[in-house]
Amino acid sequence: MRILLAEDEHTLGTWLCKALEHAGIQVEWVDDGRLADRALQQRDHDALVLDLGLPGLDGHTVLQRLRERDQRLPALILTARDSLNERVASLNAGADDFLAKPFALAELEARLHALVRRARGVEHPRLACGPLVYDGARRHFTLNGEALALSPRELAVLRVLVQRSGEPLSKQQILERVFSDDEEVHPEAVEVFVYRLRKRLDGTGVRIVTLRGLGYVLEAD
């Protein structure tokens, strides 16, 4: 999962980035509403965590513009404004969930996973493509019922592909979901991990196909 975090409190933003990435959630963090609006138009994310009191553009305006563009990205409001009117106004404006500060990290993680599952039509954290199954709770893959040994990067790439199985993903889309923004990684690194995964999946009933001009897609034979 890759989220956009729009939060102008730097202490909170720094902590959330580290904590969520430790939990396997990639975070792009911006501290200004204008930067959030631009990021939502230019890059692909699975969910938005949005503070309402942003400089530049406030959170309400960012959310309004998101919905006016008909972007159906799940949006979770994270704010200290914990009034009934604020919650109702945010939900009516297009927010999908609302979490008041202070909050428990575990609850934020659970809400994000629930939002993304609902957005993808997935009701259970187990994702599958043929004999390949990813257990989101345990964060590991099984193949034909046996545990699949993968490096952390290989697991992250395969997780991205199984989350969108049947849909092509470009190198850049995979790169954005696997590597954090502060890592300088060339897109060709994705080719290396795909090559390794193809060797591991060879003859198992599931494969990674290259679609010229579109990217990679995970398919069951």
Coordinates of all heavy atoms in Angstrom, one line a residue, residues 102-148:
P102 N -5.6 13.0 19.6 CA -4.6 12.0 19.4 C -5.3 10.6 19.0 O -6.4 10.4 19.3 CB -3.9 11.9 20.7 CG -5.0 12.3 21.7 CD -5.8 13.3 21.0
F103 N -4.5 9.7 18.4 CA -5.0 8.5 18.0 C -4.0 7.4 18.2 O -2.8 7.6 18.4 CB -5.4 8.6 16.5 CG -4.2 8.9 15.6 CD1 -3.3 7.9 15.1 CD2 -3.9 10.3 15.3 CE1 -2.2 8.3 14.4 CE2 -2.8 10.6 14.6 CZ -1.9 9.6 14.1
A104 N -4.5 6.2 18.1 CA -3.6 5.0 18.2 C -3.1 4.6 16.8 O -3.9 4.5 15.9 CB -4.3 3.8 18.9
L105 N -1.8 4.3 16.7 CA -1.3 3.9 15.4 C -2.0 2.7 14.8 O -2.3 2.6 13.7 CB 0.2 3.7 15.5 CG 0.9 3.3 14.2 CD1 0.8 4.3 13.1 CD2 2.4 2.9 14.5
A106 N -2.2 1.7 15.7 CA -2.9 0.5 15.3 C -4.2 0.7 14.7 O -4.6 0.1 13.7 CB -3.0 -0.5 16.4
E107 N -5.0 1.7 15.2 CA -6.3 2.0 14.7 C -6.1 2.7 13.3 O -6.9 2.4 12.4 CB -7.1 3.0 15.6 CG -8.5 3.3 15.1 CD -9.3 4.1 16.0 OE1 -8.7 4.6 17.0 OE2 -10.5 4.3 15.7
L108 N -5.2 3.6 13.1 CA -4.9 4.2 11.8 C -4.6 3.1 10.8 O -5.2 3.2 9.7 CB -3.8 5.2 11.9 CG -3.4 5.9 10.6 CD1 -4.6 6.6 9.9 CD2 -2.2 6.8 10.8
E109 N -3.7 2.2 11.1 CA -3.3 1.1 10.2 C -4.6 0.3 9.8 O -4.8 0.0 8.6 CB -2.3 0.2 10.8 CG -0.9 0.8 10.9 CD 0.1 -0.2 11.5 OE1 -0.1 -1.4 11.3 OE2 0.9 0.2 12.3
A110 N -5.4 -0.1 10.8 CA -6.5 -0.9 10.5 C -7.5 -0.1 9.7 O -8.1 -0.7 8.7 CB -7.2 -1.3 11.9
R111 N -7.7 1.1 9.9 CA -8.7 1.9 9.1 C -8.2 2.0 7.7 O -9.0 2.0 6.7 CB -8.9 3.3 9.7 CG -9.8 3.3 11.0 CD -9.8 4.6 11.6 NE -10.6 4.6 12.8 CZ -11.9 5.0 12.9 NH1 -12.6 5.3 11.8 NH2 -12.6 5.0 14.0
L112 N -6.9 2.3 7.5 CA -6.3 2.4 6.1 C -6.5 1.1 5.4 O -6.9 1.1 4.2 CB -4.9 2.7 6.2 CG -4.6 4.2 6.5 CD1 -3.1 4.4 6.7 CD2 -5.0 5.1 5.4
H113 N -6.2 0.0 6.0 CA -6.3 -1.3 5.3 C -7.8 -1.6 5.0 O -8.1 -2.1 3.9 CB -5.8 -2.5 6.2 CG -4.3 -2.6 6.2 ND1 -3.6 -2.9 5.1 CD2 -3.4 -2.4 7.2 CE1 -2.3 -3.0 5.4 NE2 -2.2 -2.6 6.6
A114 N -8.7 -1.2 5.9 CA -10.1 -1.4 5.6 C -10.6 -0.5 4.4 O -11.4 -1.0 3.6 CB -11.0 -1.1 6.9
L115 N -10.2 0.7 4.4 CA -10.5 1.6 3.3 C -10.1 1.1 2.0 O -10.8 1.1 1.0 CB -10.0 3.0 3.5 CG -10.6 3.9 4.6 CD1 -9.8 5.2 4.8 CD2 -12.1 4.2 4.2
V116 N -8.8 0.6 1.9 CA -8.2 0.1 0.7 C -8.9 -1.1 0.2 O -9.2 -1.3 -1.0 CB -6.7 0.0 0.8 CG1 -6.1 -0.7 -0.5 CG2 -6.0 1.3 1.0
R117 N -9.2 -2.0 1.2 CA -9.9 -3.3 0.8 C -11.3 -3.0 0.2 O -11.7 -3.6 -0.8 CB -10.0 -4.2 2.1 CG -8.8 -4.8 2.5 CD -9.0 -6.1 3.4 NE -9.8 -5.7 4.5 CZ -9.3 -5.3 5.7 NH1 -8.0 -5.2 5.8 NH2 -10.1 -5.1 6.7
R118 N -12.0 -2.0 0.9 CA -13.3 -1.7 0.3 C -13.2 -1.1 -1.0 O -14.0 -1.4 -1.9 CB -14.0 -0.8 1.3 CG -14.5 -1.4 2.6 CD -15.6 -0.6 3.2 NE -15.2 0.7 3.6 CZ -14.7 1.0 4.8 NH1 -14.5 0.0 5.7 NH2 -14.4 2.2 5.1
A119 N -12.2 -0.2 -1.2 CA -12.1 0.4 -2.5 C -11.8 -0.6 -3.6 O -12.1 -0.4 -4.8 CB -10.9 1.5 -2.5
R120 N -11.1 -1.7 -3.3 CA -10.7 -2.7 -4.3 C -11.8 -3.8 -4.3 O -11.6 -4.8 -5.1 CB -9.4 -3.3 -4.0 CG -8.2 -2.3 -4.1 CD -6.9 -2.9 -3.6 NE -5.8 -1.9 -3.7 CZ -4.7 -2.1 -3.1 NH1 -4.5 -3.1 -2.4 NH2 -3.7 -1.1 -3.3
G121 N -12.8 -3.7 -3.5 CA -13.8 -4.8 -3.4 C -13.3 -6.0 -2.8 O -13.8 -7.1 -3.0
V122 N -12.2 -5.9 -1.9 CA -11.7 -7.0 -1.2 C -12.1 -7.0 0.2 O -11.9 -6.0 0.9 CB -10.1 -7.0 -1.3 CG1 -9.5 -8.2 -0.5 CG2 -9.7 -7.0 -2.7
E123 N -12.8 -8.0 0.7 CA -13.3 -8.1 2.1 C -12.4 -8.8 3.0 O -12.6 -8.8 4.2 CB -14.7 -8.8 2.1 CG -15.7 -8.0 1.2 CD -17.0 -8.7 1.3 OE1 -17.1 -9.8 1.8 OE2 -18.0 -8.1 0.7
H124 N -11.3 -9.4 2.6 CA -10.4 -10.1 3.4 C -9.0 -9.8 3.1 O -8.7 -9.7 1.9 CB -10.7 -11.7 3.3 CG -10.1 -12.5 4.3 ND1 -8.8 -12.8 4.4 CD2 -10.7 -13.0 5.4 CE1 -8.6 -13.6 5.5 NE2 -9.7 -13.7 6.1
P125 N -8.1 -9.7 4.0 CA -6.7 -9.3 3.7 C -5.9 -10.4 3.0 O -4.8 -10.2 2.7 CB -6.1 -9.1 5.1 CG -6.9 -9.8 6.1 CD -8.3 -9.8 5.5
R126 N -6.5 -11.6 2.7 CA -5.8 -12.6 1.9 C -6.1 -12.3 0.4 O -7.2 -12.3 0.0 CB -6.3 -14.0 2.3 CG -5.8 -14.4 3.7 CD -6.6 -15.7 4.1 NE -6.4 -16.8 3.2 CZ -5.4 -17.7 3.2 NH1 -4.5 -17.6 4.2 NH2 -5.3 -18.7 2.4
L127 N -5.0 -12.1 -0.3 CA -5.1 -11.9 -1.7 C -4.5 -13.0 -2.5 O -3.6 -13.7 -2.0 CB -4.3 -10.6 -2.1 CG -4.7 -9.3 -1.4 CD1 -3.8 -8.2 -1.7 CD2 -6.1 -8.9 -1.8
A128 N -5.1 -13.4 -3.6 CA -4.6 -14.6 -4.3 C -4.6 -14.4 -5.8 O -5.4 -13.6 -6.4 CB -5.5 -15.8 -4.0
C129 N -3.7 -15.1 -6.5 CA -3.7 -15.2 -7.9 C -3.3 -16.7 -8.2 O -2.2 -17.1 -8.1 CB -2.7 -14.3 -8.5 SG -2.6 -14.3 -10.3
G130 N -4.3 -17.4 -8.6 CA -4.1 -18.9 -8.8 C -3.6 -19.5 -7.5 O -4.2 -19.3 -6.4
P131 N -2.5 -20.3 -7.6 CA -2.0 -21.0 -6.4 C -1.2 -20.0 -5.4 O -0.8 -20.5 -4.4 CB -1.2 -22.1 -6.9 CG -0.6 -21.5 -8.2 CD -1.8 -20.7 -8.8
L132 N -1.0 -18.8 -5.8 CA -0.2 -17.8 -5.0 C -1.2 -17.1 -4.1 O -2.1 -16.4 -4.6 CB 0.5 -16.9 -6.0 CG 1.4 -15.8 -5.3 CD1 2.6 -16.5 -4.6 CD2 1.8 -14.8 -6.3
V133 N -0.9 -17.1 -2.8 CA -1.7 -16.4 -1.8 C -0.9 -15.6 -0.9 O 0.1 -16.0 -0.4 CB -2.5 -17.5 -1.0 CG1 -3.3 -16.8 0.1 CG2 -3.4 -18.4 -1.9
Y134 N -1.4 -14.3 -0.7 CA -0.7 -13.4 0.2 C -1.6 -13.2 1.4 O -2.7 -12.8 1.3 CB -0.4 -12.1 -0.4 CG 0.2 -11.1 0.5 CD1 1.5 -11.3 1.0 CD2 -0.5 -10.0 1.0 CE1 2.1 -10.4 1.9 CE2 0.1 -9.1 1.9 CZ 1.3 -9.3 2.3 OH 1.9 -8.4 3.2
D135 N -1.1 -13.5 2.6 CA -1.8 -13.3 3.8 C -1.4 -11.9 4.4 O -0.2 -11.8 4.9 CB -1.4 -14.4 4.8 CG -2.3 -14.4 6.0 OD1 -2.7 -13.3 6.5 OD2 -2.7 -15.5 6.5
G136 N -2.2 -11.0 4.3 CA -1.9 -9.6 4.8 C -1.7 -9.5 6.3 O -0.9 -8.7 6.8
A137 N -2.4 -10.4 7.1 CA -2.2 -10.3 8.5 C -0.8 -10.9 8.9 O -0.1 -10.3 9.8 CB -3.3 -11.2 9.2
R138 N -0.4 -11.9 8.2 CA 1.0 -12.5 8.5 C 2.1 -11.9 7.7 O 3.3 -12.2 7.9 CB 0.9 -14.0 8.4 CG -0.1 -14.7 9.4 CD -0.1 -16.2 9.2 NE -1.0 -16.8 10.1 CZ -1.2 -18.1 10.2 NH1 -0.5 -18.9 9.4 NH2 -2.1 -18.6 11.1
R139 N 1.7 -11.2 6.6 CA 2.6 -10.6 5.7 C 3.6 -11.6 5.1 O 4.8 -11.5 5.1 CB 3.4 -9.5 6.4 CG 2.5 -8.3 6.8 CD 3.3 -7.3 7.6 NE 2.5 -6.3 8.2 CZ 2.8 -5.5 9.1 NH1 4.0 -5.5 9.6 NH2 2.0 -4.6 9.6
H140 N 3.0 -12.7 4.5 CA 3.9 -13.7 3.8 C 3.0 -14.3 2.7 O 1.8 -14.2 2.7 CB 4.5 -14.7 4.7 CG 3.5 -15.7 5.3 ND1 3.8 -16.7 6.1 CD2 2.2 -15.9 5.1 CE1 2.8 -17.5 6.4 NE2 1.8 -17.0 5.8
F141 N 3.8 -14.9 1.7 CA 3.1 -15.6 0.6 C 3.2 -17.1 0.8 O 4.2 -17.6 1.4 CB 3.9 -15.3 -0.7 CG 3.5 -13.9 -1.3 CD1 4.2 -12.8 -1.1 CD2 2.4 -13.9 -2.1 CE1 3.9 -11.6 -1.7 CE2 2.0 -12.7 -2.7 CZ 2.8 -11.5 -2.5
T142 N 2.2 -17.8 0.3 CA 2.3 -19.2 0.1 C 2.0 -19.5 -1.3 O 1.3 -18.8 -2.0 CB 1.3 -20.0 1.0 OG1 -0.1 -19.5 0.7 CG2 1.5 -19.8 2.5
L143 N 2.7 -20.6 -1.8 CA 2.5 -21.0 -3.2 C 2.2 -22.5 -3.2 O 3.0 -23.3 -2.7 CB 3.8 -20.7 -4.0 CG 3.8 -21.0 -5.5 CD1 2.7 -20.2 -6.2 CD2 5.2 -20.7 -6.1
N144 N 1.0 -22.9 -3.7 CA 0.6 -24.2 -3.7 C 0.6 -24.8 -2.2 O 0.9 -25.9 -2.0 CB 1.4 -25.1 -4.6 CG 1.2 -24.8 -6.0 OD1 0.0 -24.7 -6.5 ND2 2.3 -24.6 -6.8
G145 N 0.2 -23.9 -1.3 CA 0.1 -24.3 0.1 C 1.4 -24.3 0.9 O 1.4 -24.5 2.1
E146 N 2.6 -24.0 0.2 CA 3.9 -24.0 0.9 C 4.4 -22.5 1.0 O 4.1 -21.7 0.1 CB 4.9 -24.8 0.1 CG 4.5 -26.3 -0.1 CD 4.6 -27.0 1.3 OE1 5.4 -26.6 2.1 OE2 3.9 -28.0 1.4
A147 N 5.0 -22.2 2.1 CA 5.6 -20.9 2.3 C 6.6 -20.6 1.2 O 7.4 -21.4 0.8 CB 6.3 -20.8 3.7
L148 N 6.5 -19.4 0.7 CA 7.4 -18.9 -0.4 C 8.5 -18.0 0.2 O 8.1 -16.9 0.7 CB 6.6 -18.2 -1.5 CG 7.4 -17.7 -2.7 CD1 8.0 -18.8 -3.4 CD2 6.4 -16.9 -3.6

